[in-house]
Amino acid sequence: MHINDIEAMNGTPYHLVKPVLEKCTAEQLLNIEHYNEYLLEDTDELWARICEKKYPNEESDDSESWRDFYIRKQRESEEKLRRLTSRIGHNNRINNPVRTAMQLDSPKAPREVRKRALAFGTSQVSVALPSAIEVSKSRREIFNSGSKASFQQLPAVIRAAKHSNVGAKTEKKVSAPPPMAGKRGALMAKTLKMLKNKRR
Protein backbone atom coordinates (compact mmCIF):
# COMPACT_ATOMS: atom_id res chain seq x y z
CA MET A 1 0.00 0.00 0.00
CA HIS A 2 1.25 3.47 -0.91
CA ILE A 3 1.50 6.16 1.77
CA ASN A 4 -1.01 8.31 -0.13
CA ASP A 5 -3.57 5.53 0.28
CA ILE A 6 -3.28 5.36 4.08
CA GLU A 7 -6.31 6.71 5.88
CA ALA A 8 -7.84 5.23 9.04
CA MET A 9 -5.44 3.03 11.04
CA ASN A 10 -8.05 1.76 13.47
CA GLY A 11 -6.10 2.84 16.55
CA THR A 12 -2.78 1.22 15.62
CA PRO A 13 -0.18 2.32 18.22
CA TYR A 14 2.16 5.14 17.22
CA HIS A 15 5.36 3.18 17.77
CA LEU A 16 4.19 0.61 15.21
CA VAL A 17 3.39 3.14 12.46
CA LYS A 18 6.27 5.53 13.26
CA PRO A 19 8.65 3.99 10.64
CA VAL A 20 6.02 4.67 8.00
CA LEU A 21 5.21 8.17 9.27
CA GLU A 22 8.88 9.15 9.23
CA LYS A 23 8.87 8.71 5.45
CA CYS A 24 5.84 10.96 4.97
CA THR A 25 5.93 14.43 3.52
CA ALA A 26 4.20 17.24 5.39
CA GLU A 27 1.09 16.92 3.22
CA GLN A 28 0.95 13.14 3.69
CA LEU A 29 1.38 13.45 7.44
CA LEU A 30 -1.40 16.04 7.64
CA ASN A 31 -3.69 13.71 5.70
CA ILE A 32 -2.99 10.74 7.99
CA GLU A 33 -3.53 12.88 11.09
CA HIS A 34 -6.84 14.04 9.66
CA TYR A 35 -8.14 10.45 9.72
CA ASN A 36 -6.26 9.46 12.92
CA GLU A 37 -6.42 12.31 15.42
CA TYR A 38 -5.04 10.15 18.23
CA LEU A 39 -1.61 10.37 16.55
CA LEU A 40 -1.40 14.13 17.25
CA GLU A 41 -0.13 13.40 20.75
CA ASP A 42 3.04 11.78 19.39
CA THR A 43 3.79 13.26 15.94
CA ASP A 44 5.27 16.56 17.14
CA GLU A 45 8.77 15.12 16.92
CA LEU A 46 8.13 14.34 13.26
CA TRP A 47 6.98 17.90 12.68
CA ALA A 48 10.10 19.23 14.35
CA ARG A 49 12.26 17.41 11.79
CA ILE A 50 10.13 18.70 8.90
CA CYS A 51 10.26 22.32 10.11
CA GLU A 52 14.01 22.26 10.82
CA LYS A 53 14.58 21.00 7.29
CA LYS A 54 12.25 23.47 5.56
CA TYR A 55 12.78 26.49 7.85
CA PRO A 56 16.31 26.02 9.22
CA ASN A 57 16.77 29.63 10.37
CA GLU A 58 13.45 30.02 12.19
CA GLU A 59 12.14 28.80 15.50
CA SER A 60 8.64 28.19 16.75
CA ASP A 61 7.05 30.08 19.61
CA ASP A 62 6.89 28.39 22.96
CA SER A 63 3.11 28.56 22.82
CA GLU A 64 2.76 26.58 19.59
CA SER A 65 3.67 23.09 18.54
CA TRP A 66 5.89 22.29 15.59
CA ARG A 67 2.81 21.23 13.68
CA ASP A 68 1.13 24.59 14.33
CA PHE A 69 4.36 26.35 13.42
CA TYR A 70 4.44 24.58 10.04
CA ILE A 71 0.80 25.40 9.33
CA ARG A 72 1.37 29.07 10.24
CA LYS A 73 4.40 29.36 7.96
CA GLN A 74 2.47 27.76 5.13
CA ARG A 75 -0.36 30.27 5.52
CA GLU A 76 2.11 33.16 5.61
CA SER A 77 3.76 31.91 2.41
CA GLU A 78 0.39 31.55 0.68
CA GLU A 79 -0.66 35.05 1.77
CA LYS A 80 2.64 36.50 0.59
CA LEU A 81 2.24 34.81 -2.77
CA ARG A 82 -1.33 36.09 -3.05
CA ARG A 83 -0.27 39.70 -2.35
CA LEU A 84 2.60 39.43 -4.81
CA THR A 85 0.31 38.07 -7.52
CA SER A 86 -2.22 40.81 -6.85
CA ARG A 87 0.49 43.50 -7.01
CA ILE A 88 1.83 42.17 -10.30
CA GLY A 89 -1.66 42.07 -11.78
CA HIS A 90 -2.32 45.65 -10.62
CA ASN A 91 0.93 46.91 -12.15
CA ASN A 92 0.17 45.15 -15.42
CA ARG A 93 -3.24 46.81 -15.60
CA ILE A 94 -1.65 50.23 -15.05
CA ASN A 95 1.26 49.78 -17.44
CA ASN A 96 -0.70 47.91 -20.10
CA PRO A 97 -4.26 49.25 -20.22
CA VAL A 98 -6.74 47.34 -22.29
CA ARG A 99 -6.78 48.77 -25.76
CA THR A 100 -10.17 49.08 -27.35
CA ALA A 101 -10.44 47.89 -30.89
CA MET A 102 -10.32 50.69 -33.44
CA GLN A 103 -13.48 51.25 -35.39
CA LEU A 104 -12.35 51.31 -38.98
CA ASP A 105 -14.36 53.24 -41.53
CA SER A 106 -15.64 51.48 -44.55
CA PRO A 107 -13.02 51.39 -47.30
CA LYS A 108 -13.13 54.29 -49.73
CA ALA A 109 -12.35 54.18 -53.39
CA PRO A 110 -9.39 56.23 -54.64
CA ARG A 111 -10.07 59.90 -55.26
CA GLU A 112 -9.81 59.64 -59.05
CA VAL A 113 -12.29 56.76 -59.13
CA ARG A 114 -14.75 58.67 -56.95
CA LYS A 115 -14.43 61.79 -59.14
CA ARG A 116 -15.19 59.77 -62.25
CA ALA A 117 -18.12 58.08 -60.54
CA LEU A 118 -19.59 61.45 -59.57
CA ALA A 119 -18.99 62.90 -63.05
CA PHE A 120 -20.76 60.03 -64.81
CA GLY A 121 -23.35 59.39 -62.10
CA THR A 122 -22.19 55.85 -61.38
CA SER A 123 -21.33 56.21 -57.69
CA GLN A 124 -24.45 54.36 -56.51
CA VAL A 125 -25.19 52.21 -59.54
CA SER A 126 -26.03 48.63 -58.67
CA VAL A 127 -27.87 47.58 -61.83
CA ALA A 128 -26.36 46.32 -65.04
CA LEU A 129 -26.01 48.87 -67.85
CA PRO A 130 -27.50 48.14 -71.29
CA SER A 131 -25.24 47.07 -74.09
CA ALA A 132 -23.84 49.51 -76.62
CA ILE A 133 -26.19 48.14 -79.30
CA GLU A 134 -29.28 48.82 -77.17
CA VAL A 135 -28.12 52.34 -76.40
CA SER A 136 -27.41 53.07 -80.08
CA LYS A 137 -30.83 51.72 -81.07
CA SER A 138 -32.58 53.92 -78.52
CA ARG A 139 -30.64 56.94 -79.69
CA ARG A 140 -31.66 56.36 -83.30
CA GLU A 141 -35.31 56.07 -82.29
CA ILE A 142 -35.08 59.27 -80.27
CA PHE A 143 -33.38 61.07 -83.17
CA ASN A 144 -35.83 59.84 -85.83
CA SER A 145 -39.13 60.08 -83.95
CA GLY A 146 -38.39 62.38 -81.06
CA SER A 147 -40.16 59.84 -78.80
CA LYS A 148 -39.63 60.28 -75.09
CA ALA A 149 -40.61 56.66 -74.39
CA SER A 150 -37.34 55.38 -75.80
CA PHE A 151 -35.46 58.01 -73.82
CA GLN A 152 -37.15 56.92 -70.59
CA GLN A 153 -36.08 53.33 -71.23
CA LEU A 154 -32.47 54.32 -70.80
CA PRO A 155 -31.05 53.97 -67.27
CA ALA A 156 -31.08 57.11 -65.16
CA VAL A 157 -27.30 57.03 -65.09
CA ILE A 158 -27.06 57.44 -68.86
CA ARG A 159 -29.93 59.94 -69.04
CA ALA A 160 -28.31 62.08 -66.34
CA ALA A 161 -24.88 62.05 -67.93
CA LYS A 162 -24.09 65.22 -69.85
CA HIS A 163 -21.64 63.61 -72.19
CA SER A 164 -22.26 59.90 -72.25
CA ASN A 165 -20.06 57.97 -74.63
CA VAL A 166 -21.79 54.61 -74.05
CA GLY A 167 -22.51 53.01 -77.39
CA ALA A 168 -20.80 55.78 -79.30
CA LYS A 169 -18.72 54.79 -82.26
CA THR A 170 -15.10 55.73 -82.29
CA GLU A 171 -13.20 56.16 -85.51
CA LYS A 172 -9.63 55.13 -85.67
CA LYS A 173 -7.33 57.58 -87.35
CA VAL A 174 -5.16 55.88 -89.90
CA SER A 175 -1.88 57.70 -90.09
CA ALA A 176 -0.14 57.95 -93.43
CA PRO A 177 3.03 55.94 -93.73
CA PRO A 178 6.19 57.96 -93.33
CA PRO A 179 7.89 59.03 -96.54
CA MET A 180 10.46 56.66 -97.88
CA ALA A 181 13.53 58.80 -97.72
CA GLY A 182 15.79 56.23 -99.26
CA LYS A 183 13.58 55.67 -102.34
CA ARG A 184 13.11 59.41 -102.96
CA GLY A 185 16.84 59.91 -102.87
CA ALA A 186 17.39 57.22 -105.52
CA LEU A 187 14.78 58.74 -107.89
CA MET A 188 16.22 62.19 -107.44
CA ALA A 189 19.70 60.93 -108.26
CA LYS A 190 18.41 59.17 -111.39
CA THR A 191 16.56 62.31 -112.56
CA LEU A 192 19.62 64.50 -112.07
CA LYS A 193 21.70 62.02 -114.02
CA MET A 194 19.24 62.09 -116.96
CA LEU A 195 19.22 65.90 -117.00
CA LYS A 196 22.98 65.95 -116.99
CA ASN A 197 23.16 63.58 -119.98
CA LYS A 198 20.68 65.72 -121.96
CA ARG A 199 22.76 68.83 -121.43
CA ARG A 200 25.70 67.08 -123.00
Side-chain angles (χ1 to χ4, degrees):
M1 179 181 292
H2 194 272
I3 295 178
N4 291 333
D5 299 328
I6 298 176
E7 293 182 354
M9 294 185 177
N10 299 321
T12 304
Y14 171 73
H15 68 276
L16 294 179
V17 297
K18 181 179 178 181
V20 177
L21 299 179
E22 288 176 337
K23 299 178 181 179
C24 292
T25 63
E27 289 73 17
Q28 291 170 339
L29 185 56
L30 285 172
N31 183 64
I32 293 174
E33 289 176 341
H34 174 73
Y35 291 100
N36 304 275
E37 295 183 358
Y38 72 93
L39 295 175
L40 293 175
E41 299 177 359
D42 302 305
T43 55
D44 200 53
E45 60 176 346
L46 302 178
W47 285 110
R49 296 176 187 175
I50 293 174
C51 292
E52 289 173 357
K53 184 177 180 180
K54 189 166 186 178
Y55 307 105
N57 299 324
E58 300 189 37
E59 296 181 358
S60 65
D61 297 335
D62 295 336
S63 60
E64 64 180 354
S65 64
W66 284 106
R67 182 178 186 273
D68 293 338
F69 171 77
Y70 177 84
I71 294 175
R72 176 171 62 83
K73 297 301 294 184
Q74 284 294 105
R75 289 176 179 173
E76 290 176 357
S77 298
E78 292 174 359
E79 180 64 20
K80 183 178 180 180
L81 179 61
R82 187 190 65 80
R83 289 196 302 267
L84 180 61
T85 303
S86 177
R87 188 181 302 113
I88 293 174
H90 178 70
N91 292 337
N92 288 339
R93 286 192 296 271
I94 294 176
N95 298 329
N96 301 305
V98 179
R99 298 179 180 178
T100 56
M102 296 177 61
Q103 298 293 334
L104 299 178
D105 295 333
S106 57
K108 294 183 179 180
R111 180 180 296 179
E112 292 298 325
V113 176
R114 284 186 278 120
K115 288 175 64 176
R116 293 176 186 173
L118 291 175
F120 292 98
T122 59
S123 58
Q124 300 295 330
V125 175
S126 59
V127 295
L129 294 177
S131 64
I133 297 176
E134 294 174 348
V135 175
S136 299
K137 182 179 179 181
S138 299
R139 283 181 171 177
R140 283 197 299 270
E141 291 178 1
I142 294 170
F143 180 80
N144 295 330
S145 63
S147 174
K148 293 183 179 180
S150 299
F151 180 77
Q152 294 297 331
Q153 292 178 0
L154 293 174
V157 174
I158 297 178
R159 287 188 277 109
K162 294 181 179 180
H163 303 286
S164 175
N165 59 355
V166 179
K169 295 182 179 180
T170 57
E171 296 181 357
K172 295 183 179 180
K173 295 182 179 180
V174 180
S175 58
M180 300 177 66
K183 188 174 181 180
R184 178 180 294 179
L187 292 174
M188 183 63 69
K190 187 175 182 180
T191 303
L192 293 175
K193 185 177 181 180
M194 291 175 63
L195 292 174
K196 187 176 181 181
N197 291 334
K198 286 182 178 182
R199 290 177 182 176
R200 290 179 181 178

